[in-house]
Amino acid sequence: MGQTLVEKLLSEKMGRPVSAGETVVVDVDFAALHDGSGPLLVRLMNERGYQDDPVFDSDRILFANEFGPVPTREVANEHALTRRYACSHNCHWEEGGTGHVHAHVYEDYLKCGSVCIVGDSHTTVHGAFGAFATGCGSTDMVAVTRYGKTWIKVPETFRINVNGALPKGVYAKDIMLKLAGIIQSDQAIYKALEFRGDTIHALDMAGRLTITSMGVDVGAKAAIMETDEHTREFLKKFGREQDYREIRGDEDANYERVIDIDAAALEPMVAKPHYVHNVDLAKNCADQKVDMVFIGSCTNGRTEDLHVAADILRGKKVAKGLRLLVIPNSAAVYKECMQDGTLLALAEAGAMIEAPNCGPCMGVHQGIPADNEVVVATQNRNFKGRMGNPTASIYLSSPATAAATALRGFITDPREVM
């Protein structure tokens, strides 16, 4: 009997075969925290008298202030607390306004097939590089930071087969929204999602990262994919081709569940308030007026996402009375889209462009909606209050659907304007 991708990676780390249901303590290859989890970790270190103890490996720990340029005195003090700890322990450090913690990890540090632990739930994103990647709380991050180890109950795996050519106007986000509609928010709790099929192998890394970033949003412990030349080329772009290695799954592995998705039959989708699995076709929501559109986040703020939006909006104007907020998810994306004219095209259409950060997705910074407003966002969650206002309604979509909506002022199937 073969092994799932997660079983294979954890077996490699343990030096012996492991299987779903077994609890193991594994060495961590890379760890990171942001300005939400970082200050909590530092305070725990101080409370336990560990503040002067060495970390397990300063070259394999990153602290990143991802929520953006400091908005308040209180947040500035949180940043300062984490900055002092990171610098005094010689860890990697990234200031606010330079991008998401996850973008820093996969652009600069992540190696294929590694174990990556971050103090953030969307750590599942790194599974696009064939890594076992999952988030954990600040208490567990104490052990990770000091000893470079964590415990994992090896998860059962759902195999998600996605095959067929994506139709015009349909993107990776639509695949994930389709899957959310199938498994809802409670069927994949503490499972691994293993994505296979010719559609997945045809996707660029931006599309793969969109899918794996949302693994946790359907309850999964990890989301993982095989690696290939797309993976290699992405790492090569950032000068890290040596961090590539081939990760392949076994066809005869024991999967708890197999789900097949026909990509050719997909249409542009949205997740309606207030749950990710509350999905519908974009065309069925065409009477919904929208006040704000947000294009960005760790799910859909990459270069390819902004290119899709710019292609729809170039030479046009956003609907009167609608606010369009665009936030690249890393400094590299910001620079690339500045140099190729993407940001200019979006700005000329009426978009507000911000420095790379989380923006309103966390509900604590830049772009919080007003009472009872309706937002279409390319982020990963649409829970009540997610964007900082519990009276606002959030629809999730692909960048194409978001851009088309910004153009029309109401939820729009992007095929109508492409």
Side-chain angles (χ1 to χ4, degrees), residues 24-352:
V24 297
V25 176
V26 299
D27 292 330
V28 175
D29 295 301
F30 197 83
L33 300 102
H34 55 45
D35 34 355
S37 55
L40 293 173
L41 171 83
V42 175
R43 288 192 175 92
L44 285 170
M45 290 294 199
N46 292 341
E47 289 171 8
R48 299 176 184 189
Y50 302 156
Q51 65 271 18
D52 297 322
D53 290 357
V55 297
F56 82 94
D57 186 342
S58 59
D59 198 44
R60 290 191 282 152
I61 302 175
L62 165 70
F63 288 83
N65 282 346
E66 68 174 4
F67 296 162
V70 180
T72 67
R73 174 185 177 185
E74 290 76 15
V75 174
N77 287 331
E78 293 291 272
H79 282 201
L81 176 69
T82 312
R83 185 185 297 112
R84 286 193 297 269
Y85 182 87
C87 294
S88 67
H89 288 78
N90 298 312
C91 299
H92 297 288
W93 168 257
E94 294 290 348
E95 286 289 354
T98 61
H100 298 283
V101 63
H102 300 303
H104 287 300
V105 171
Y106 62 67
E107 287 180 357
D108 299 326
Y109 305 106
L110 188 70
K111 296 181 180 181
C112 294
S114 58
V115 171
C116 177
I117 306 294
V118 183
D120 182 83
S121 59
H122 287 102
T123 306
T124 55
V125 66
H126 305 296
F129 294 85
F132 178 83
T134 195
C136 73
S138 295
T139 304
D140 282 331
M141 285 302 294
V142 170
V144 172
T145 304
R146 289 194 70 207
Y147 303 114
K149 296 179 181 294
T150 194
W151 69 274
I152 296 166
K153 181 180 178 182
V154 183
E156 297 280 358
T157 295
F158 288 5
R159 175 167 171 164
I160 316 298
N161 298 316
V162 189
N163 291 290
L166 289 173
K168 178 181 179 180
V170 177
Y171 297 88
K173 184 65 159 285
D174 300 301
I175 295 174
M176 200 57 195
L177 293 179
K178 177 66 175 180
L179 179 62
I182 295 171
I183 63 177
Q184 303 291 292
S185 59
D186 59 353
Q187 296 176 30
I189 293 175
Y190 212 97
K191 309 297 182 183
L193 303 179
E194 184 174 313
F195 291 88
R196 307 280 287 272
D198 56 46
T199 310
I200 301 300
H201 285 291
L203 287 176
D204 55 24
M205 289 307 296
R208 297 180 191 186
L209 289 162
T210 293
I211 290 172
T212 52
S213 75
M214 291 188 67
V216 70
D217 297 306
V218 292
K221 183 67 173 175
I224 192 166
M225 296 175 175
E226 297 178 320
T227 62
D228 57 20
E229 285 306 307
H230 289 288
T231 325
R232 185 198 298 273
E233 286 303 312
F234 182 95
L235 293 171
K236 183 178 180 180
K237 177 181 177 180
F238 289 94
R240 296 196 300 114
E241 188 175 5
Q242 74 277 5
D243 291 335
Y244 171 81
R245 72 181 176 101
E246 185 178 90
I247 307 293
R248 286 284 179 269
D250 296 333
E251 290 300 322
D252 60 342
N254 182 26
Y255 296 101
E256 181 178 296
R257 183 176 175 183
V258 177
I259 298 171
D260 295 306
I261 295 177
D262 179 5
L266 294 179
E267 296 186 64
M269 302 188 74
V270 296
K272 301 187 293 187
H274 296 284
Y275 300 99
V276 176
H277 64 262
N278 186 23
V279 297
D280 200 350
L281 298 179
K283 66 184 182 184
N284 291 342
C285 304
D287 59 347
Q288 179 59 63
K289 184 181 180 299
V290 175
D291 300 290
M292 185 175 89
V293 170
F294 167 47
I295 299 175
S297 84
C298 59
T299 295
N300 279 123
R302 283 167 281 277
T303 298
E304 294 82 352
D305 300 317
L306 302 191
H307 284 174
V308 168
D311 287 345
I312 290 173
L313 290 165
R314 185 174 284 106
K316 302 168 186 173
K317 294 291 184 181
V318 302
K320 187 176 181 180
L322 181 142
R323 308 186 305 282
L324 172 60
L325 183 62
V326 175
I327 306 181
N329 81 340
S330 76
V333 171
Y334 190 97
K335 292 173 185 176
E336 185 173 359
C337 290
M338 181 183 291
Q339 291 170 345
D340 68 16
T342 298
L343 295 185
L344 177 61
L346 292 168
E348 288 180 337
M352 295 174 280

Side-chain angles (χ1 to χ4, degrees), residues 10-24:
L10 295 180
S11 294
E12 180 182 277
K13 294 299 292 184
M14 295 300 296
R16 62 174 177 81
V18 302
S19 57
E22 182 178 353
T23 298
V24 297

